Amino acid sequence: GINRMIKQIQRTAFGFRNFHHLISRIKLQQTRTKPNTKTELEAA
């Protein structure tokens, strides 16, 4: 799933000024989509 996500970001991010911005976008997207490790019972 990570490779597909990166390819989608590359398609939509065409025109970023530099490579660092692309890498930052990928890392940001990974942290957003990371599943929550706590279950509902542990959170309560």
Side-chain angles (χ1 to χ4, degrees):
I2 293 173
N3 288 337
R4 183 172 186 260
M5 180 198 62
I6 291 173
K7 286 184 179 194
Q8 285 179 339
I9 291 173
Q10 285 177 342
R11 282 188 220 113
T12 58
F14 182 76
F16 271 161
R17 288 181 182 251
N18 60 25
F19 186 70
H20 178 70
H21 290 158
L22 177 64
I23 297 302
S24 299
R25 177 72 181 262
I26 291 169
K27 289 179 182 177
L28 179 68
Q29 189 70 24
Q30 280 181 328
T31 58
R32 280 188 188 170
T33 58
K34 188 180 289 186
N36 191 3
T37 56
K38 290 185 178 180
T39 62
E40 290 181 17
L41 295 175
E42 291 174 343

